[in-house]
Amino acid sequence: WLSEQHVDGLRGDAVASMLYLDYSREDGGWVPNAQGGNENLEAVEFLRRGNRDVYGDDPSVMTIAEESTAWPGVSRPAHEGGLGFGFKWNMGWMHDTLEYIQRDPIHRRHHHGEISFGLHYAFSENFVLPLSHDEVVHGKGSILDRMPGDRWTKFANLRAYYGFMFAHPGKKLLFMGQDWGAAGDWSAEAGLNWEEEKDPLCQGARAAVRDLNGLYRAMPALHRGDAEAAGFEWIDGSAEAQSVYAWLRKGEDGDAPVLCVMNFSGAEHRDWRIGVPQGGRWAERFNSDFGAYGGAGRGNGTVEAEAQAAHGRTFSVSLTLPPLTTLMLTPEG
């Protein structure tokens, strides 16, 4: 698949069922390994050898484990005692954030930790944030279908959620049609409804994802520190009553930091002061409420960081946070 067909990577499905002898088995329905444990030692060695061979032959490809347990070192190199996969799907992030985003915004203040819990372990593996085929089949509907409110509000939630995803540490995975807000279950027989994609709100969602991909490449702070705690810094994670989150993404020396602010409430917050690491002008690089994305066009443009302390920092900016919106700003110059 890799050398002959030039596939970019391989995904290991249900890796947990390979790792544990007692996975989904009743008591007495499995035999312990030679050491008396429940680990499938032969499967572990098989996975390590496979990953060593793949990366040894072509380090430009990737292997990804769909693994949902606390097995350590899934994405650690095999020679360091890990399984040797390049990435691990962050199933916890997917479950928690989808549970949060489908709630009515008025109730989100009571579930503030659901969307931020994944940051407690975000750097323990080389994670992928998966909104995969598994989330749009078997009666689950599409990602858009999970959003609360009327159609316009659903798309506002969707764009804000995708902005949050790109601001969050970890690689991004969207299944076909999710980039423009396809509706309904995925069907391998029917495929996508391309007529639906012509809807202006669908085109706006697609434009937002296109721009997020462009910014992800253009702003190294959004990707260089994905698996390192030094690439992330909380600014404010305690604004529960307003359902607001703010953090910095940081890259290497010389990379501009990215200020990421999410307002998942249904209310606009004006004159919202956020501490920043430096003075000068900060430019709004992404706003999921931009009119070009189907939003209401409420934004900030360029703002001046003032010498007014906030969140333990000497400088701060005052922002307008439209409802159901993700913002990204970087310092100018």
Side-chain angles (χ1 to χ4, degrees), residues 101 108 144 147-148 150-163 201 205 263-264 288-289 293-296 298 323-326:
I101 205 67
R108 289 174 180 167
L144 178 70
M147 304 296 155
D150 59 22
R151 184 169 172 78
W152 190 94
T153 304
K154 285 179 180 290
F155 272 93
N157 268 287
L158 187 75
R159 296 190 305 269
Y161 182 51
Y162 287 168
L201 286 172
N263 175 17
F264 286 118
S288 64
D289 193 49
Y293 303 154
R298 295 158 291 192
L324 309 175
T325 297
T326 291

Side-chain angles (χ1 to χ4, degrees), residues 219 257-259 280-286 290 300-305 317 319 327-333:
M219 300 193 300
V258 182
L259 171 63
R281 296 171 69 82
W282 286 70
E284 194 171 59
R285 303 290 302 277
F286 177 80
F290 280 158
N300 298 275
T302 301
V303 295
E304 188 76 27
V317 294
L319 300 175
L327 308 176
M328 294 184 190
L329 297 93
T330 60
E332 288 190 338

Side-chain angles (χ1 to χ4, degrees), residues 9-296:
L10 299 172
R11 166 186 173 270
D13 184 66
V15 170
S17 65
M18 308 179 208
L19 296 175
Y20 298 98
L21 296 166
D22 59 347
Y23 189 87
S24 295
R25 293 178 181 269
E26 301 289 340
D27 290 344
W30 60 282
V31 178
N33 62 36
Q35 300 173 1
N38 67 338
E39 301 88 356
N40 188 328
L41 302 179
E42 292 82 5
V44 170
E45 181 53 34
F46 169 79
L47 293 172
R48 285 174 173 163
R49 177 174 177 177
N51 284 314
R52 281 197 300 264
D53 288 350
V54 166
Y55 283 105
D57 183 62
D58 185 353
S60 72
V61 302
M62 68 184 82
T63 61
I64 305 170
E66 186 207 18
E67 206 284 315
S68 54
T69 74
W71 186 283
V74 172
S75 59
R76 187 181 305 140
H79 67 269
E80 295 180 6
L83 292 180
F85 285 94
F87 299 93
K88 174 179 174 175
W89 279 26
N90 194 334
M91 305 295 286
W93 176 92
M94 180 272 294
H95 285 296
D96 290 343
T97 62
L98 283 179
E99 187 73 16
Y100 176 89
I101 205 67
Q102 70 184 3
R103 300 184 188 277
D104 188 296
I106 199 171
H107 300 305
R108 289 174 180 167
R109 66 178 64 191
H110 305 298
H111 303 274
H112 199 68
E114 284 179 344
I115 206 161
S116 58
F117 181 74
L119 291 164
H120 290 288
Y121 59 87
F123 312 108
S124 61
E125 296 276 2
N126 205 15
F127 279 120
V128 171
L129 310 181
L131 296 177
S132 72
H133 63 288
D134 285 331
E135 312 321 315
V136 294
V137 293
H138 307 314
K140 296 178 182 177
S142 69
I143 302 300
L144 178 70
D145 293 334
R146 288 175 170 81
M147 304 296 155
D150 59 22
R151 184 169 172 78
W152 190 94
T153 304
K154 285 179 180 290
F155 272 93
N157 268 287
L158 187 75
R159 296 190 305 269
Y161 182 51
Y162 287 168
F164 155 78
M165 180 189 196
F166 274 76
H168 195 285
K171 305 310 177 188
K172 328 303 175 189
L173 188 152
L174 292 176
F175 186 61
M176 61 182 76
Q178 290 180 9
D179 53 332
W180 48 266
D185 267 17
W186 159 253
S187 168
E189 291 75 26
L192 293 171
N193 179 2
W194 292 103
E195 289 299 313
E196 179 186 60
E197 189 266 346
K198 297 176 182 177
D199 180 278
L201 286 172
C202 290
Q203 292 181 348
R206 183 182 62 183
V209 172
R210 176 200 64 206
D211 289 352
L212 283 167
N213 275 316
L215 291 172
Y216 190 74
R217 291 191 297 270
M219 300 193 300
L222 288 179
H223 61 257
R224 279 187 176 159
D226 263 347
E228 301 171 4
F232 177 91
E233 182 180 330
W234 269 112
I235 296 178
D236 188 3
S238 60
E240 297 181 9
Q242 298 83 14
S243 299
V244 171
Y245 307 79
W247 60 62
L248 283 175
R249 293 300 309 278
K250 301 182 293 182
E252 299 174 357
D253 290 343
D255 293 337
V258 182
L259 171 63
C260 306
V261 186
M262 283 65 61
N263 175 17
F264 286 118
S265 77
E268 180 179 283
H269 304 311
R270 296 187 178 182
D271 301 319
W272 190 275
R273 189 158 293 279
I274 297 177
V276 292
Q278 65 189 69
R281 296 171 69 82
W282 286 70
E284 194 171 59
R285 303 290 302 277
F286 177 80
N287 180 333
S288 64
D289 193 49
F290 280 158
Y293 303 154

